[in-house]
Amino acid sequence: MPQRLRGQRSLLPPKAAAIVPPQQGADERTHPIVSCSEGQTELSWLTRGLRGEVSSGGDMVLRWEVLVLAVVLLVSCGASPSDILYRVPEEQPPNTLIGSLAADQGLPDTGHLYKLEVGSPYLRVDGKTGDIYTTEIPIDRETLRDCRSLFDECFLEFEVSITDMIKGIGMGPRLIEGRIEVLDVNDNTPQFSSPILTLSIPENTHIGALFSIPMASDKDSGANGVAEYSLSTGPDADQLFSLQVAVDNDEKLPQLVVMGNLDREGKDSYDLNIRVVDGGKPPRASSALLRVTVTDQNDNAPKFERNHYETELPENSPLGHSVLQVRANDADTGTNGEIDYSLHQASETVQRLLRIDRSTGMIYVKGMVDREEENFLKFFVVAKDRGPNSKSSKVLVTINVKDQNDNAPAIEIRGIGLVIHQDGVANISEDMPIGTPVALVQVSDRDEGENAVVTCVVAGDVPFQLRPASESANDRKRKYFLQTTTLLDYEHIKDYRIEIVAVDSGNPALSSTNSLKVQVTDMNDNTPNFSPAMLEVDFAEGNQPGDKVLGVAATDADSGTNAELAYSIIEPSASKLFEIDTNSGEVRVKNLLDREDTERYEFHVAAADKGVPSKTGTATVVINVLDRNDNDPKFMLSGYSFSVIENMLPLNPVGVVTVTDADKGENARVRLYVEPDNGKFVIQNGTGTILSSISFDREKESTYTFRLKAVDAGDPPRSSYVGVTINVLDENDNAPYVTKPSNSTYKYLPPVTAPDTRVEVVEAEDIDSGPNAELVYSITGGNPYGLFHISPSSGEITLAQEFTRKHNGLHRLVVRVSDKGKPPRHTTALVHIFVNDTIGNVTLIESLVGHSLYTPLDRDIAGDPNYTLAQRSNILYGSLAGIAGVILVIVAVVVIRHRLQKDTKSGYQAGKKESKDLYAPKQGPKNGKGKKSKKGKAPKPAKPLEEDEEASLQKGLNFNLINDNVNDSPRIHLPLNYPPGSPDLGRHYRSNSPLPSIQLQPQSPSASKKHQAVQDLPATNTFVGTGDNNSTGSDQYSDYSYKANPPKYSSKQVGDYFANTAGYDRNIMWTNRVW
């Protein structure tokens, strides 16, 4: 943030002001700088750092002494106003506030006009508050004319005039002068003179010898300049060279240190990398290749007679003029003692203006030297001997350019305040009081010293004089007000030609002149008068050009031509929209008015009489533009996109849109509608909030697109549209489902299988997305010996260790598949692995797999000696139960047939109504709660697998396979796991068995029609209830292969049908294959 500094003048002597020098590194938030004209000493040390922490009592006493001294200096320096000094870093963006003149100088911020006189194009001033801002043209410290030196401070001068608008121009403006110190920022990268630097080092140089490396230059200054050097060496030079940085006059000099013995015959050159970094924040850096050449030894380096050469050079010196001769001596002889001189680290300006004789070291003028462009030149001269292993040294040369009186004073005349000059003419009324400023005269001289001291006077006998505009002690640039000394009389003299002469104090003196023409305007006694002074009228927008708005009229107490009035509009901007009849005062509109552009026009009309001089009266005209519905509603954005989480409850806000209407009143009252209105979304008028009427499911629909229509209440109404996109974000609402392998399949492994052998891969999917679809596999049961390992990411099951004899048999792994959602969801799969030398009895293996489906998941069947015996016992018991069931069915059929024959013998009774159709299904109660056989009961809907997975899986596995013996066991090939929403595993297992078919006996009268529905029953994925326990397995080896067909009937419908039919149709017979 720029620093605002209010200038004060000191009454103390210069030495008193210089007691406390400016401190470096203090807090950037400083108090106003104190600038004392006696000695031009600035006290910039008053910082908020004075309020820092005090570590000891002595520090507290010292800080109080400093504070008391500062207060004394501020009070003593406040005798009279002087320049204002602000500080601002360079390259600030446009409209950056630098300072506020009204606040800093204690001036009112109303009733005054602030005008920037000097400081453009880098600055602008707010006319009301006096705030100074930056403009679109950035302030670049390195390109400013007076700031090219890195060693001096950089200032940008400005001038602001202040005119009291209440008291009028007669009081005269006040001129404020100030300077802005442009602080350097780190916007330049330090650079070496060349991307490849060469350095010659003699062989056998003693360890610790130093060799100067060409320095890098940085256009920035101060802390942003060169800060440090670093050296990178290869493995061949790591032990031979290092870097040392010396400091000379705040200048960092990189030096190469020889750390080992150099042998030119072994290696004659080394490539190093040197890097330079400046001190900016953030720092800037660059690097160069430093090529070190090992040469034969040269003993002595040239040595200059002086450590620093400094001289003066008059500006405008002729070409070839000798400036200075540098001399260096070399103790060597022959070519090793012959010296060549050259300029080193010389800027482009130095190279353009100067040259050096390589043999003599004499420096000559090469180009035209102008002190006003460059007031000093600073560079280095290098002396290098001509030996095979040349040595060199350098010396700093400073040349101060001495001023010559070669610039005549410059006189600039410009308007001040409300007095505007045009074509070198200033107009002023004859009734202006004495001392009224007519112009601001600035006299400057580009020279310095006595050559810049200028005396300025008004030539001739005219009623004007020069008065200093400010009390600045700047001799090079003085400003004066050209003001009247007597009252002006138009009847006596109508205009003046004022000549201003400026003479400097040089020898010989130079002078210049400039002139200004001042025209005096005549007076008129009476001013035309409007009554009332303010006229206000309402006028509707959408008019036609030329329509009448209102009429104005004024009166003048004068008579004759002095009372003849001519009307006009004062403001040029208002004249572009309105016109007034010069004679009648009728105001008409010239263009089409738009209330949305401007709702109220206020301007002034003038009535000028035709007297000499003419007098003018003014009135204020206010035109209120009435609204018409000529603007469509406008949405703030061209399109809206919102994101919502799936499963969000209906009538929750989805997003908010904003619509505006540039019209007013009813024309601006807007209502919103959803198009198409499919009932999924509604919008609240007034708030613009979009509500959902549905709950979102990303897996069903991830994006919704519709339009919003905005209609205003105008007559006729106007409307507009905007597109809206609703993106549904994923939520972990779906559990994974296993696609491979099936729970009823198995994998055969011989006992000699080697560890790390791939056994099986569990494949699963999740219809969610992102982390909700990332799956993790783990074995949660059935691995008591740790024989198997599963990859958490791929689901690949591998053998972890070798099999032993006790591991033979069936292994059932319980694999848990979880996603990474929060909270996570999971599913469970069974992987059967049969370990044996042979696989001859496939039926036995399949029966073991089938039996494992009824075994609790928390039981490890691997290595259980009772498992096979229990399986065989279950098969025996199942066979016996099957035989008993067949016998019971035969007995029941015999009893039913006997009763039917008995009823038939009873014959037909006349007049008796047939009570029922023996073959029609019995209608159950309306509420569906009639008695049903246990086998005919429809299954309940399956619960989601993730809620109680183990219980659900085990429940689905608990069904009996009843067969006569082990060899007749069915081959069980159950379907793969299904995605969420499908029945649970138990339901899959039951439904995978083929449905029992029905065989109608010949005596059934309507067998082909009565039970036609049975033929359409689905083959899979539906539990039909009756006959489930006696159905046989179905696989690719059986006559009734499993085929996945879409279900036509629900399980409840099929169960009810069988239950009702079985109660009345005694001809239905149950077999192992058909009914």
Side-chain angles (χ1 to χ4, degrees):
M1 185 67 186
Q3 304 171 14
R4 308 179 185 178
L5 310 168
R6 182 181 305 160
Q8 300 290 336
R9 167 166 288 184
S10 175
L11 298 180
L12 293 177
K15 293 183 179 179
I19 292 176
V20 183
Q23 298 183 11
Q24 301 295 329
D27 194 336
E28 289 294 332
R29 301 168 295 177
T30 62
H31 287 269
I33 283 181
V34 180
S35 177
C36 298
S37 61
E38 299 292 341
Q40 296 295 318
T41 302
E42 297 181 350
L43 301 180
S44 59
W45 52 270
L46 293 180
T47 68
R48 293 179 182 171
L50 292 177
R51 297 198 300 267
E53 297 182 359
V54 179
S55 59
S56 63
D59 291 340
M60 177 65 77
V61 173
L62 178 59
R63 292 179 179 271
W64 276 111
E65 292 175 355
V66 174
L67 183 60
V68 171
L69 178 58
V71 172
V72 172
L73 290 176
L74 285 174
V75 173
S76 62
C77 289
S80 61
S82 181
D83 294 350
I84 298 175
L85 177 61
Y86 293 105
R87 284 177 176 164
V88 63
E90 63 175 332
E91 303 290 352
Q92 291 299 303
N95 299 319
T96 298
L97 178 63
I98 297 176
S100 176
L101 294 178
D104 297 342
Q105 295 297 313
L107 299 174
D109 56 1
T110 57
H112 287 71
L113 174 66
Y114 293 84
K115 178 182 177 185
L116 182 68
E117 305 291 348
V118 174
S120 62
Y122 301 104
L123 306 174
R124 71 175 181 86
V125 173
D126 188 292
K128 295 182 179 180
T129 64
D131 292 347
I132 302 177
Y133 296 91
T134 58
T135 64
E136 297 294 335
I137 300 177
I139 302 176
D140 187 358
R141 188 182 188 277
E142 287 73 34
T143 59
L144 291 178
R145 177 178 176 182
D146 297 333
C147 302
R148 296 177 182 174
S149 172
L150 301 179
F151 305 96
D152 296 332
E153 296 176 332
C154 175
F155 294 98
L156 180 64
E157 297 182 350
F158 67 89
E159 297 174 13
V160 176
S161 64
I162 306 175
T163 302
D164 192 334
M165 301 299 294
I166 299 177
K167 296 181 180 180
I169 188 175
M171 294 301 296
R174 176 181 178 183
L175 187 66
I176 301 288
E177 292 181 305
R179 295 186 303 167
I180 298 175
E181 181 180 354
V182 181
L183 305 178
D184 183 54
V185 298
N186 192 26
D187 55 350
N188 291 281
T189 302
Q191 298 287 342
F192 290 98
S193 58
S194 173
I196 300 178
L197 306 176
T198 59
L199 187 63
S200 297
I201 299 179
E203 64 178 341
N204 301 325
T205 299
H206 63 276
I207 297 176
L210 302 177
F211 293 88
S212 298
I213 301 174
M215 294 189 302
S217 60
D218 195 326
K219 293 182 179 180
D220 294 321
S221 64
N224 295 328
V226 174
E228 61 181 26
Y229 294 88
S230 61
L231 184 69
S232 299
T233 61
D236 57 341
D238 187 30
Q239 303 297 327
L240 296 178
F241 304 102
S242 66
L243 182 68
Q244 174 179 301
V245 180
V247 179
D248 183 15
N249 294 329
D250 294 333
E251 192 173 41
K252 292 179 173 57
L253 308 176
Q255 297 173 335
L256 187 67
V257 183
V258 178
M259 303 297 295
N261 295 322
L262 301 179
D263 184 4
R264 189 187 64 82
E265 288 72 25
K267 187 175 180 63
D268 59 356
S269 67
Y270 299 88
D271 286 343
L272 313 178
N273 184 275
I274 185 169
R275 186 171 185 265
V276 60
V277 182
D278 63 20
K281 294 184 179 179
R284 291 174 173 261
S286 65
S287 60
L289 177 67
L290 178 61
R291 180 160 294 166
V292 179
T293 302
V294 181
T295 62
D296 288 333
Q297 186 173 3
N298 187 9
D299 296 334
N300 298 283
K303 184 176 182 181
F304 285 93
E305 297 177 351
R306 284 188 282 177
N307 295 330
H308 180 208
Y309 289 86
E310 185 172 7
T311 187
E312 290 186 350
L313 173 65
E315 68 174 331
N316 302 323
S317 295
L319 302 181
H321 174 74
S322 60
V323 182
L324 175 68
Q325 184 177 17
V326 296
R327 290 189 179 91
N329 300 315
D330 196 323
D332 296 328
T333 60
T335 57
N336 292 335
E338 296 176 2
I339 299 174
D340 289 334
Y341 300 91
S342 62
L343 300 180
H344 177 65
Q345 290 189 345
S347 64
E348 294 180 0
T349 302
V350 173
Q351 297 179 15
R352 176 173 53 86
L353 299 179
L354 302 175
R355 68 177 179 86
I356 187 170
D357 189 287
R358 295 181 58 86
S359 301
T360 64
M362 182 64 73
I363 300 174
Y364 297 94
V365 175
K366 179 182 177 182
M368 184 59 66
V369 180
D370 187 359
R371 188 206 60 81
E372 285 70 37
E373 295 293 336
E374 298 290 338
N375 56 2
F376 72 93
L377 303 173
K378 182 179 289 188
F379 54 93
F380 288 91
V381 173
V382 172
K384 184 177 182 181
D385 61 29
R386 299 179 183 177
N389 303 318
S390 61
K391 289 183 176 293
S392 63
S393 61
K394 64 180 180 179
V395 68
L396 179 64
V397 178
T398 302
I399 299 176
N400 298 311
V401 182
K402 185 177 180 181
D403 182 63
Q404 300 291 324
N405 192 24
D406 57 345
N407 293 282
I411 303 175
E412 181 183 0
I413 303 175
R414 61 178 185 264
I416 182 68
L418 298 180
V419 179
I420 300 175
H421 292 194
Q422 187 174 5
D423 298 330
V425 178
N427 295 312
I428 185 171
S429 176
E430 66 174 342
D431 60 345
M432 286 298 174
I434 298 174
T436 298
V438 177
L440 178 66
V441 179
Q442 176 177 300
V443 181
S444 60
D445 196 321
R446 297 184 62 191
D447 295 322
E448 67 177 2
E450 290 295 321
N451 297 330
V453 178
V454 179
T455 302
C456 186
V457 295
V458 176
D461 186 14
V462 291
F464 297 90
Q465 67 177 7
L466 294 175
R467 177 176 64 86
S470 64
E471 298 183 7
S472 172
N474 187 358
D475 292 334
R476 295 179 54 193
K477 186 183 295 185
R478 292 180 177 272
K479 297 178 180 65
Y480 303 88
F481 286 128
L482 179 63
Q483 63 184 20
T484 59
T485 58
T486 61
L487 292 175
L488 303 181
D489 188 0
Y490 175 85
E491 286 73 20
H492 182 57
I493 299 177
K494 295 180 173 58
D495 55 62
Y496 298 89
R497 172 65 64 175
I498 304 172
E499 184 173 338
I500 300 174
V501 179
V503 181
D504 64 21
S505 301
N507 187 17
L510 298 178
S511 63
S512 60
T513 61
N514 199 353
S515 62
L516 172 69
K517 182 179 180 181
V518 177
Q519 290 183 345
V520 182
T521 58
D522 197 11
M523 292 180 57
N524 192 11
D525 296 335
N526 295 285
T527 302
N529 181 43
F530 287 93
S531 181
M534 174 176 286
L535 303 172
E536 188 169 0
V537 65
D538 295 335
F539 189 74
E541 66 174 337
N543 59 282
Q544 295 296 325
D547 288 350
K548 178 181 177 181
V549 181
L550 78 161
V552 298
T555 59
D556 195 323
D558 295 329
S559 60
T561 57
N562 291 332
E564 295 178 4
L565 304 179
Y567 298 94
S568 63
I569 297 176
I570 297 177
E571 291 84 351
S573 57
S575 300
K576 297 178 181 179
L577 296 175
F578 303 94
E579 60 183 359
I580 188 170
D581 188 277
T582 304
N583 299 320
S584 64
E586 186 176 79
V587 178
R588 295 182 178 273
V589 62
K590 297 169 64 175
N591 300 322
L592 182 67
L593 299 184
D594 187 1
R595 187 204 64 80
E596 289 73 33
D597 184 25
T598 305
E599 188 174 4
R600 185 176 184 269
Y601 293 93
E602 180 176 341
F603 57 91
H604 298 83
V605 295
D609 60 26
K610 297 182 180 179
V612 180
S614 176
K615 279 191 171 291
T616 303
T618 61
T620 301
V621 175
V622 176
I623 300 175
N624 298 315
V625 182
L626 303 180
D627 183 60
R628 288 183 179 175
N629 193 25
D630 55 352
N631 289 278
D632 294 333
K634 183 179 181 182
F635 289 91
M636 295 299 291
L637 301 177
S638 59
Y640 290 88
S641 179
F642 304 105
S643 297
V644 297
I645 301 177
E646 65 175 332
N647 301 322
M648 186 178 71
L649 296 178
L651 298 181
N652 271 313
V654 175
V656 178
V657 300
T658 304
V659 62
T660 60
D661 196 314
D663 292 321
K664 190 177 182 182
E666 286 296 310
N667 297 331
R669 186 166 59 86
V670 180
R671 293 189 64 83
L672 298 172
Y673 303 91
V674 177
E675 290 188 356
D677 188 4
N678 52 15
K680 294 182 179 180
F681 298 95
V682 296
I683 188 166
Q684 291 180 343
N685 282 289
T687 65
T689 303
I690 301 174
L691 304 176
S692 66
S693 301
I694 60 175
S695 180
F696 299 102
D697 187 349
R698 188 198 64 82
E699 287 72 31
K700 292 183 179 179
E701 191 167 0
S702 62
T703 303
Y704 298 84
T705 303
F706 54 90
R707 293 195 311 173
L708 291 180
K709 180 180 180 181
V711 183
D712 62 25
D715 186 18
R718 301 176 73 97
S719 62
S720 62
Y721 297 86
V722 71
V724 178
T725 301
I726 308 297
N727 298 309
V728 183
L729 303 180
D730 185 51
E731 190 175 53
N732 193 23
D733 56 348
N734 292 281
Y737 59 93
V738 178
T739 61
K740 179 185 177 184
S742 172
N743 292 328
S744 59
T745 61
Y746 65 90
K747 182 73 175 183
Y748 166 71
L749 290 179
V752 295
T753 303
D756 297 329
T757 299
R758 174 177 170 178
V759 177
E760 184 62 275
V761 177
V762 179
E763 298 179 0
E765 297 179 2
D766 195 318
I767 62 176
D768 289 323
S769 63
N772 298 331
E774 297 180 11
L775 303 181
V776 178
Y777 301 84
S778 61
I779 298 176
T780 60
N783 193 22
Y785 303 110
L787 296 175
F788 303 98
H789 172 266
I790 189 170
S791 173
S793 58
S794 65
E796 182 181 69
I797 300 175
T798 57
L799 184 61
Q801 54 181 296
E802 294 182 353
F803 290 121
T804 61
R805 188 166 187 81
K806 69 176 182 179
H807 297 149
N808 287 359
L810 182 66
H811 297 258
R812 181 189 64 183
L813 302 181
V814 181
V815 178
R816 182 188 183 104
V817 184
S818 303
D819 59 28
K820 295 183 179 180
K822 293 185 179 179
R825 292 178 177 267
H826 63 272
T827 188
T828 303
L830 301 180
V831 179
H832 293 89
I833 302 170
F834 183 73
V835 182
N836 198 24
D837 293 326
T838 62
I839 192 171
N841 193 348
V842 176
T843 304
L844 175 61
I845 300 173
E846 292 178 348
S847 64
L848 293 175
V849 173
H851 180 62
S852 76
L853 300 179
Y854 319 127
T855 304
L857 297 181
D858 56 354
R859 176 181 174 185
D860 292 329
I861 67 174
D864 188 349
N866 298 323
Y867 177 71
T868 305
L869 179 61
Q871 167 64 6
R872 295 179 180 270
S873 300
N874 289 340
I875 294 175
L876 178 60
Y877 297 151
S879 299
L880 294 177
I883 295 172
V886 171
I887 295 173
L888 291 176
V889 170
I890 294 173
V891 172
V893 170
V894 172
V895 173
I896 294 172
R897 179 169 294 183
H898 175 72
R899 290 184 179 181
L900 290 176
Q901 291 175 354
K902 183 178 180 180
D903 293 340
T904 304
K905 291 179 181 181
S906 61
Y908 173 76
Q909 298 179 9
K912 185 176 180 180
K913 185 178 179 180
E914 187 73 11
S915 61
K916 59 183 177 180
D917 186 353
L918 296 178
Y919 304 99
K922 181 181 179 180
Q923 301 294 331
K926 292 183 179 180
N927 56 8
K929 296 183 179 179
K931 277 191 175 181
K932 297 181 182 179
S933 64
K934 185 176 182 180
K935 294 183 178 180
K937 189 174 182 180
K940 295 181 180 180
K943 295 182 180 180
L945 195 57
E946 66 275 11
E947 293 179 0
D948 192 1
E949 184 176 359
E950 286 75 7
S952 176
L953 177 59
Q954 190 60 49
K955 180 179 180 182
L957 299 179
N958 288 334
F959 62 90
N960 296 323
L961 297 176
I962 304 176
N963 295 281
D964 295 337
N965 52 52
V966 174
N967 294 330
D968 296 333
S969 298
R971 295 184 180 92
I972 302 175
H973 293 275
L974 300 184
L976 302 180
N977 299 60
Y978 291 90
S982 301
D984 61 15
L985 294 177
R987 186 172 182 179
H988 285 307
Y989 302 145
R990 293 193 295 272
S991 64
N992 196 40
S993 300
L995 292 174
S997 59
I998 299 177
Q999 180 179 5
L1000 301 178
Q1001 298 298 328
Q1003 58 268 35
S1004 301
S1006 58
S1008 61
K1009 295 182 181 180
K1010 176 96 46 172
H1011 304 284
Q1012 185 176 0
V1014 178
Q1015 301 174 7
D1016 297 332
L1017 290 176
T1020 61
N1021 292 337
T1022 306
F1023 176 57
V1024 298
T1026 307
D1028 185 43
N1029 291 336
N1030 293 331
S1031 62
T1032 62
S1034 175
D1035 59 6
Q1036 63 268 29
Y1037 303 104
S1038 65
D1039 296 332
Y1040 302 90
S1041 299
Y1042 166 75
K1043 295 181 180 180
N1045 296 322
K1048 292 184 179 181
Y1049 302 92
S1050 67
S1051 58
K1052 183 178 188 305
Q1053 293 172 336
V1054 177
D1056 292 343
Y1057 178 77
F1058 289 148
N1060 296 334
T1061 305
Y1064 291 93
D1065 195 341
R1066 307 302 181 182
N1067 297 324
I1068 298 177
M1069 298 181 63
W1070 295 86
T1071 68
N1072 196 32
R1073 291 288 184 180
V1074 297
W1075 273 343

